[in-house]
Amino acid sequence: MKASARFILFAITALVLVIFYAPLGHSDYTGRWGDGTFGIRSSRATRNLIETVDPGSPAARAGVRSGDRFLFKPFSTEWPHAQNPIADQSETLAFERPDGLRYSATMNAVPVSNFGLWDRVTGILAILPATLFLVVAFALVFLRPSVMTWSFYAYAIGYFSTAPSFEYFAGVLPGTAYVCLTFLLSTFAGGFAVLPLLPFVLRFPDDEVTGFRSNVDRAMWFGIVIAFAAYSFEWYQQWAIAASIGYAALLDTWLPLATFFFAALLLIAKFKHASDEVKQRFGFLVLGLIVSFVAYAVYFIPGVPIAAGQIAGYAVAIMPISVGYAVLRHRVLDVNFVLNRAIAYGLVSIFVIAAVSLLDWLFSRFVSEQHLAVAGELAATIVIGLLLDRINKSIESGVEAVLFRNRRIAERYLRRAAEALPYATEVSAVTDGLVQIPDEALKLSAAAHYRRAPGGRFEGAGTTKETPMAPSGFDPNHLLVRVLQASEERVWLDELRTHLDAENAAVYVLAIPVTVRHELVSFTLYGAHRNGAQLDPEEVKLLEELAREASRSYDHIEAVRARERYAKLTSAPLPETA
């Protein structure tokens, strides 16, 4: 299941990289197209109505006037050709006067006069917050594919600006493919992309919905499906008959704003009913998310200039930073592990962006025919996208070998130690395998092992050399003992912190039981890493593997001792008879 989810993730990410990164350098930070112009200003909101015509422009010389209307549909390929042509591109376009007179005009596009290198650089800088979103969302889904992380990923994709992609691919894709792309950009990557924020907030951080949240979750998904149908119908109306639906403002403005509002209410409600400990740990997250909601909502407020929204939009980057930090604090990911993945996928993103930019320069520099240039550039970009998985594996292998060699050595050491545990014949060897070996391999701040003694009490059997303190023992009725016996699986100690010795147990974060035939015979308390980083899921799995092998070891030790007792009994001389 995880492998298939990762394959889908790679495929979607490759498509996202092609769609949103190929146009880099062709527009500025507001999405203004910089390659060429006819001097016409219009928008889909005005239903093909020409708002202004620049004096002295090719359109003005061809007789096009303000108030005229284009005679083609908004999502046809003619639309971006008319609005955002390539310099020196020639187009024959059809128009209609307000009095109904129809005419056609042939125009040659001219370069945008005030669009220089800095404008192209700002277009690249504008995509940095969205890139940060994508990297964090990709890492979360890759490591923990779930409804929660996929919702965050969908929300992250929606933060990309779609305007450059509309313009760029109009001159690259054939008509049918371009229409399909406009559907994706207008729905999945349009205003609808804000809605996945709701299931993410509802499920964060444990991806569980229980009690009343189950009903809220079902109602939420029903509303999301209805909303997507409405966004799809809005796109169809514009594509089929160049008309806007009556509730377009509701979909494009008020629904996204309402989503941010209800997401903030959900966060506040969850924070209000959380324990004091959770409030202390996640207070920063609530604040960071709400700030990012406000910054993102600026885009949808009517009358706000695009430039102002773009500047405020940089504050949206607080969200992936806050979520990433909260997930680390919630022990879903480890600091080193995240850096590992972030480096690998960051290098992949840099490689793809650099390769696409180089291809764009080479094709535009050495290929004179524009259509051939963009076609070759698209083909090469798609090849890079298809090779993304292989490129990632190569980069990740290099990162692993150079920067994270010690971690992999530690993992191999723990697995070999786990394989050797069942061959132990003394309980002291089991204690060493559960305490000292993990401490050496993972550099833990503390570890302490407890074994059941006669009478049922769990007494301390051993600690690491670096362990500063440890509880002396646990009664059989202690809550931790009963939870371990009932669940037979790991327990994060934060859940039971109020029932533990505040002084001697403060350094420990995790308890892992050792059971033999569903009976708790011992358990081990583990601290975090000495550098303060929490145990990551892969490390926890290794510790659980040690515990499973320890249960087999106890069985083996008991069998050895039973054989020894039997041997003594059978070899003893028979008593003399009178």
Side-chain angles (χ1 to χ4, degrees), residues 272-289:
K272 181 179 179 181
H273 294 93
S275 63
D276 292 337
E277 181 185 357
V278 172
K279 288 181 179 179
Q280 184 177 6
R281 292 170 59 201
F282 292 104
F284 75 95
L285 172 65
V286 175
L287 178 62
L289 291 182

Side-chain angles (χ1 to χ4, degrees), residues 427-495:
V427 292
S428 60
V430 179
T431 300
D432 182 71
L434 291 173
V435 174
Q436 196 61 39
I437 290 178
D439 173 72
E440 295 171 355
L442 302 178
K443 294 180 173 54
L444 302 178
S445 59
H449 186 64
Y450 296 86
R451 192 165 55 245
R452 189 179 59 194
R457 179 177 169 81
F458 286 80
E459 300 289 354
T463 63
T464 64
K465 300 173 183 177
E466 293 80 9
T467 296
M469 59 192 70
S472 58
F474 294 85
D475 292 329
N477 283 314
H478 192 282
L479 180 59
L480 174 60
V481 174
R482 289 185 282 123
V483 170
L484 290 171
Q485 176 67 74
S487 64
E488 298 186 30
E489 59 184 25
R490 69 177 184 269
V491 173
W492 291 103
L493 297 182
D494 281 350
E495 303 168 2

Side-chain angles (χ1 to χ4, degrees), residues 97-136:
R97 302 270 190 215
D99 59 6
L101 175 65
R102 296 188 175 187
Y103 68 98
S104 61
T106 300
M107 298 169 286
N108 292 315
V110 296
V112 177
S113 58
N114 59 343
F115 196 90
L117 177 61
W118 176 243
D119 297 288
R120 298 184 187 277
V121 171
T122 60
I124 297 174
L125 295 177
I127 208 170
L128 292 182
T131 300
L132 176 61
F133 244 123
L134 184 63
V135 169
V136 174

Side-chain angles (χ1 to χ4, degrees), residues 75-336:
F75 290 113
S76 63
T77 54
E78 291 93 341
W79 176 269
H81 287 169
Q83 296 287 83
N84 311 101
I86 306 297
D88 298 325
Q89 174 182 327
S90 178
E91 289 287 338
T92 300
L93 303 173
F95 301 89
E96 183 180 50
R97 302 270 190 215
D99 59 6
L101 175 65
R102 296 188 175 187
Y103 68 98
S104 61
T106 300
M107 298 169 286
N108 292 315
V110 296
V112 177
S113 58
N114 59 343
F115 196 90
L117 177 61
W118 176 243
D119 297 288
R120 298 184 187 277
V121 171
T122 60
I124 297 174
L125 295 177
I127 208 170
L128 292 182
T131 300
L132 176 61
F133 244 123
L134 184 63
V135 169
V136 174
F138 185 100
L140 292 182
V141 177
F142 184 88
L143 296 171
R144 290 290 174 271
S146 64
V147 174
M148 178 189 74
T149 55
W150 274 114
S151 298
F152 184 75
Y153 184 86
Y155 177 72
I157 292 176
Y159 186 61
F160 282 94
S161 174
T162 58
S165 299
F166 271 114
E167 280 84 32
Y168 179 83
F169 286 102
V172 175
L173 297 177
T176 303
Y178 181 74
V179 169
C180 294
L181 178 65
T182 64
F183 175 77
L184 292 176
L185 295 176
S186 301
T187 54
F188 289 102
F192 170 80
V194 177
L195 271 67
L197 176 65
L198 293 176
F200 167 74
V201 170
L202 184 66
R203 292 169 178 269
F204 189 85
D206 50 17
D207 198 40
E208 294 181 358
V209 285
T210 57
F212 82 95
R213 288 197 297 170
S214 299
N215 296 328
V216 174
D217 185 62
R218 284 192 290 269
M220 185 181 299
W221 283 109
F222 178 78
I224 289 175
V225 171
I226 296 299
F228 179 74
Y231 278 103
S232 299
F233 183 69
E234 179 188 26
W235 171 87
Y236 175 77
Q237 285 289 96
Q238 295 190 55
W239 171 74
I241 58 176
S244 299
I245 56 178
Y247 51 86
L250 172 65
L251 296 179
D252 300 333
T253 300
W254 302 113
L255 184 57
L257 292 176
T259 299
F260 288 122
F261 176 75
F262 284 113
L265 288 184
L266 277 174
L267 278 175
I268 294 172
K270 294 179 73 172
F271 183 76
K272 181 179 179 181
H273 294 93
S275 63
D276 292 337
E277 181 185 357
V278 172
K279 288 181 179 179
Q280 184 177 6
R281 292 170 59 201
F282 292 104
F284 75 95
L285 172 65
V286 175
L287 178 62
L289 291 182
I290 291 178
V291 169
S292 72
F293 295 169
V294 173
Y296 199 168
V298 171
Y299 282 109
F300 299 95
I301 298 176
V304 175
I306 295 178
Q310 187 68 36
I311 294 172
Y314 277 94
V316 180
I318 295 174
M319 182 172 183
I321 295 173
S322 300
V323 170
Y325 181 67
V327 169
L328 296 180
R329 295 285 294 177
H330 201 67
R331 301 186 188 89
V332 177
L333 305 174
D334 173 68
V335 173
N336 293 335

Side-chain angles (χ1 to χ4, degrees), residues 336-394:
N336 293 335
F337 202 48
V338 170
L339 286 177
N340 183 357
R341 301 301 181 188
I343 289 173
Y345 303 126
L347 290 174
V348 171
S349 299
I350 292 172
F351 170 80
V352 172
I353 295 171
V356 171
S357 301
L358 178 61
L359 287 170
D360 179 65
W361 181 82
L362 288 174
F363 277 112
S364 60
R365 176 70 175 81
F366 296 108
V367 182
S368 58
E369 176 59 38
Q370 183 63 38
H371 293 289
L372 180 59
V374 294
E377 181 180 346
L378 177 65
T381 305
I382 291 175
V383 170
I384 292 175
L386 295 175
L387 293 176
L388 184 60
D389 186 37
R390 179 167 296 182
I391 295 169
N392 162 71
K393 290 179 180 178
S394 300

